Every structure is written in C-alpha cells, then in structure tokens.
C-alpha cells in the first residue's frame, strides 16, 4: 500500500466516514481542518484529499467501521508505516496481532507478522512491542533475521 493508494481510498470513502460519524459537511470540515467547499469537492470525487487531511481523518475517525474496514484495527500504524517505511520503531505496544495479523516467522522472542488488510509487515518482540514496520517484504524478512539472530 502506498501513500497515493491510501489517499485514494480515504478520499473515496470520506462521505461514508462522515455519515457514519453522524456529522454534517460543515462540522466535518471544521473537525478535519478544511473548508466545506474542499470537503464537498472530495466527496464528489473532483479532488483528492491531501496527505495531512487523510492522516487527520484516520486519526480522528479510527474507530469507525469504514476506517477499520480499510486498514484494520490499527489505521495509524498503517499510516506510520507508509510515512516511515523501513525505519525501526522502538517500543510501540501492540495487542500481539490476534485479529488482523498472520504470523510469518517466529524466532528468539521475535515474530514477523503481515496485516491481512493492508498487507504491511511488522516485527514484534516477546512483549508485543512493535519495533519495525514496512510494506517491503524483503526488507522486513532481512530485519527479522538480523533481530532474531542477535538474541
């Protein structure tokens, strides 16, 4: 998943996210920090939301069914992974991937998982802290190998 794909998906679902949250166009525009005119243009498919608007929507409306359907139960992790692809993220506590994740490898207290919706990868330590995240499978497997060997 790329930044452009996320922008497209959120832009296409903005009206649904807004109605699910129960907001008027005026209120939603105010909440996410854009003009009502811009919101209407996005909802009609005439323009795409900007990255910062998409981040705001996913952060503020992460509990909506629509955002959960697009990105799983951790939409901010998906956005963070795209923004910081391939950078170690030390100590972000997770629930261990019980619902939206499939285990790929486990060794020396580390587990490599892939999100079933967004398809991004992450590495957790033995206490379910996320320490790495990327959409690049090869890079994720390489980092997993490095981490699992060091223990």
């Amino acid at each position: 998943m790329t930044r452009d794909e996320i922008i497209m998906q959120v832009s296409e679902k903005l009206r649904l996210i807004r109605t699910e949250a129960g907001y008027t166009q005026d209120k939603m525009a105010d909440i996410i920090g854009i003009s009502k005119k811009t919101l209407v243009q996005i909802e009609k498919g005439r323009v795409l939301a900007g990255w910062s608007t998409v981040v705001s929507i996913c952060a503020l409306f992460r509990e909506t069914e629509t955002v959960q359907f697009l990105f799983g139960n951790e939409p901010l992790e998906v956005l963070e992974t795209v923004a910081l692809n391939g950078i170690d993220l030390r100590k972000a506590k997770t629930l261990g991937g019980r619902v939206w994740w499939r285990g790929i490898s486990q060794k020396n207290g580390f587990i490599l998982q892939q999100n079933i919706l967004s398809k991004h990868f992450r590495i957790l330590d033995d206490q379910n802290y996320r320490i790495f995240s990327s959409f690049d499978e090869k890079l994720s497997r390489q980092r997993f190998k490095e981490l699992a060997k060091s223990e």
Side-chain angles (χ1 to χ4, degrees):
M1 189 172 283
T2 66
R3 186 179 289 216
D4 289 341
E5 290 170 336
I6 291 171
I7 288 170
M8 180 73 74
Q9 287 181 358
V10 172
S11 295
E12 289 174 354
K13 300 292 185 190
L14 182 55
R15 180 182 309 215
L16 188 57
I17 293 166
R18 177 180 61 78
T19 56
E20 184 181 341
Y23 291 119
T24 63
Q25 288 177 327
D26 286 319
K27 185 65 178 170
M28 184 69 159
D30 185 52
I31 289 169
I32 60 177
I34 60 175
S35 69
K36 179 182 176 185
K37 180 180 177 182
T38 300
L39 177 75
V40 170
Q41 296 286 73
I42 295 168
E43 286 188 355
K44 289 186 174 186
R46 294 181 182 147
V47 298
L48 295 175
W51 177 247
S52 58
T53 300
V54 168
V55 171
S56 296
I57 293 164
C58 290
L60 297 170
F61 300 96
R62 65 185 170 273
E63 302 297 327
T64 63
E65 286 183 24
T66 304
V67 172
Q68 296 265 315
F69 176 76
L70 290 173
F71 307 112
N73 69 329
E74 299 177 41
L76 298 182
E77 181 176 325
V78 174
L79 297 177
E80 189 176 71
T81 299
V82 168
L84 303 173
N85 191 25
I87 299 172
D88 281 12
L89 308 165
R90 288 284 171 203
K91 303 301 180 189
K93 183 73 169 169
T94 72
L95 298 174
R98 295 185 193 113
V99 179
W100 302 102
W101 299 89
R102 90 178 159 86
I104 296 174
S105 296
Q106 190 165 357
K107 184 177 178 185
N108 292 336
F110 292 97
I111 184 167
L112 175 63
Q113 299 176 323
Q114 184 178 29
N115 187 284
I116 60 175
L117 294 177
S118 69
K119 305 297 184 204
H120 79 281
F121 298 87
R122 72 179 183 184
I123 300 171
L124 305 181
D125 68 9
D126 60 349
Q127 296 178 349
N128 293 326
Y129 281 94
R130 178 172 45 104
I131 58 173
F132 182 85
S133 192
S134 175
F135 277 93
D136 185 327
E137 181 176 5
K138 185 177 178 182
L139 181 63
S140 298
R141 288 181 181 276
Q142 177 184 342
R143 187 67 184 126
F144 175 76
K145 192 180 285 187
E146 293 166 0
L147 288 166
K149 184 177 11 175
S150 67
E151 286 294 303

